[in-house]
Amino acid sequence: MKKALVLISLVALVCSVAFAQAAAEAQQKGPVTLTWWDQYSNQAGTHQAIFDAFEAETGNKVEMQNYSSSAAKDAFDLAIRSNQSPDIMSNPWKTNGIAAKYYEGALGALTVKASDLPEYIQKELYEGYTMFDGEVYSFPTKASNHSVLFWYDTDKLSADQVPGTLAELRELFKSLTDPANNQYGIALPMSDTGRMNDNICYLISAAGGNRELNPLTGYYEYDNDISKAVMQWFIDIYQDGSVHPASLTLATRTVRERFIAGEAAFAIDGVWYPGSIKKAFGADVLYRLGVHSTPVLTAGTQAKVGAHPVSGTFYLSSTCKDPEVATDLLLKLLDDSYAIRIANDMDQPPLNTSAIAKADVVPVYVEACEIMEDEIVYMPEALLRNANIAEVYAEKVDIKPNLGDILVGYLTGAITDWEAAVSDYNAKMNAELDRAIDAVKKSGVKVDHSDFVFPNFVPGESYTRDMYEAL
């Protein structure tokens, strides 16, 4: 009995010493400074206000760094490879690219359970996107975006002059082009071939093709008639002389400069264009922005652009110095006031789109959001059918040249047969998919190419959760 009492006393003493030591360490640690990287320059002021309030409340500081959307992926990848990741980073990768970062060991879990998050957030959490092995790694704050809208200068033309087909738009570009006065139909961010690849793939989707895999076959089909017609359209408008000649050196942000300078009547950019223009050039020029639904190949058809379910907006790195403090900071983004601020910034719309009605925005931003809501449809996602597909995505490697590379390569003479290059790219994309599936299967993971095939998919319609259950 005495031995038992002595043992209990000893355990109590050890525990009290341990708790005292932990408390002393916590007190000694004091406030931390978190590093935050993102590609949301439009929201820099909004985020800084949150950081300032967080510091006043907790003593913890946040150092923010903004990157352009075209530079973010490479900058973040380099930081991860060199073990210099920020504590918190936005998601510049494709939705299914997050899995690769998880399996690389680049991401860290939040210190919050899914059940502790608001119900509307819980509905948007997916294993392989925002959760891994049941742990929350991120949550969405923004709605699915539409990054390829056709913006036009209302000083040059009115809404009723903008046609609905690519062929008609080509003719309009010709009529708006006057090289002697440095006037062109459109400026394109051709120095950023990744962005041009997105532009091409969005237009392929709007015309009835697929941005990525065909869900009915589970394979890429970039060498079909629709894809080639869209590629040919970009080639045609360039060879017509309707594309601003500086485009080969322009990125998305510098295209905006040419647009505001009045040198291009059209630009292709995201729903966030008004916010970007306001931040760079001031509110006085916003009256010049007009937006039009995505042009299609065939008159009378409705553009439907395929998108993935929304993924997380911000992630912790695996080297985050204090995940608990970082999680507390990210939870501030769930306040209703943050959704309204996102809308005020006229950036990618908040997940809670009802906040737009409460925000101070220009009408053309509301119109862009309405076009986005009307045109975007959710595509089937193999990850939501089999979470093990995350390992396939992690195994896959990027294939180059992509469609954007091929387009620019052809226009500059580096590629002589663009159709053959597209067919070769298509074959390599499918071969890489098969290789990645086989490699993961050989490691013992249960995956199969059939996971990518969705026989109940209806082109042009959203693929809903119940449709996964019906397979």
Side-chain angles (χ1 to χ4, degrees), residues 86 281 357 393 455:
F281 308 103
Y393 289 149

Side-chain angles (χ1 to χ4, degrees), residues 123-341:
K123 291 179 180 179
E124 299 294 341
L125 297 180
Y126 300 103
E127 186 71 26
Y129 274 16
T130 46
M131 299 184 68
F132 292 95
D133 294 327
E135 290 189 282
V136 180
Y137 276 70
S138 185
F139 51 82
T141 62
K142 300 183 179 186
S144 287
N145 70 80
H146 195 329
S147 62
V148 180
L149 291 174
F150 276 66
W151 297 88
Y152 62 92
D153 190 339
T154 58
D155 275 352
K156 298 181 183 296
L157 68 162
S158 58
D160 59 3
Q161 293 177 275
V162 183
T165 68
L166 291 173
E168 292 170 318
L169 199 58
R170 178 187 177 188
E171 296 305 312
L172 177 61
F173 288 171
K174 289 180 184 178
S175 70
L176 293 167
T177 298
D178 180 9
N181 290 302
N182 200 27
Q183 302 283 312
Y184 296 91
I186 190 169
L188 295 171
M190 300 178 77
S191 74
D192 181 358
T193 55
R195 177 63 177 158
M196 284 305 301
N197 187 71
D198 287 343
N199 289 343
I200 295 166
C201 291
Y202 265 90
L203 288 185
I204 289 171
S205 181
N210 294 286
R211 284 175 57 199
E212 297 179 355
L213 295 169
N214 180 348
L216 294 174
T217 65
Y219 283 112
Y220 298 94
E221 297 178 358
Y222 292 130
D223 58 349
N224 64 16
D225 290 343
I226 291 176
S227 299
K228 289 182 177 180
V230 172
M231 286 285 286
Q232 186 65 59
W233 181 79
F234 278 103
I235 292 168
D236 288 341
I237 62 173
Y238 186 87
Q239 293 181 338
D240 289 339
S242 300
V243 176
H244 197 298
S247 292
L248 289 172
T249 64
L250 298 179
T252 300
R253 290 187 179 183
T254 45
V255 164
R256 295 167 189 162
E257 294 173 2
R258 302 291 175 149
F259 181 91
I260 292 302
E263 297 174 12
F266 279 82
I268 303 176
D269 213 321
V271 68
W272 51 82
Y273 199 53
S276 299
I277 292 296
K278 180 181 178 182
K279 184 176 185 296
F281 308 103
D284 291 345
V285 296
L286 289 177
Y287 79 93
R288 289 174 51 194
L289 300 187
V291 66
H292 197 270
S293 56
T294 307
V296 294
L297 286 172
T298 306
T301 59
Q302 167 69 50
K304 291 296 180 182
V305 178
H308 291 291
V310 289
S311 71
T313 310
F314 299 101
Y315 289 78
L316 305 190
S317 71
S318 56
T319 57
C320 178
K321 63 178 66 70
D322 197 322
E324 186 171 355
V325 172
T327 298
D328 288 344
L329 173 63
L330 290 181
L331 291 177
K332 301 292 185 185
L333 308 186
L334 296 178
D335 293 344
D336 289 343
S337 60
Y338 180 67
I340 295 172
R341 286 178 177 180

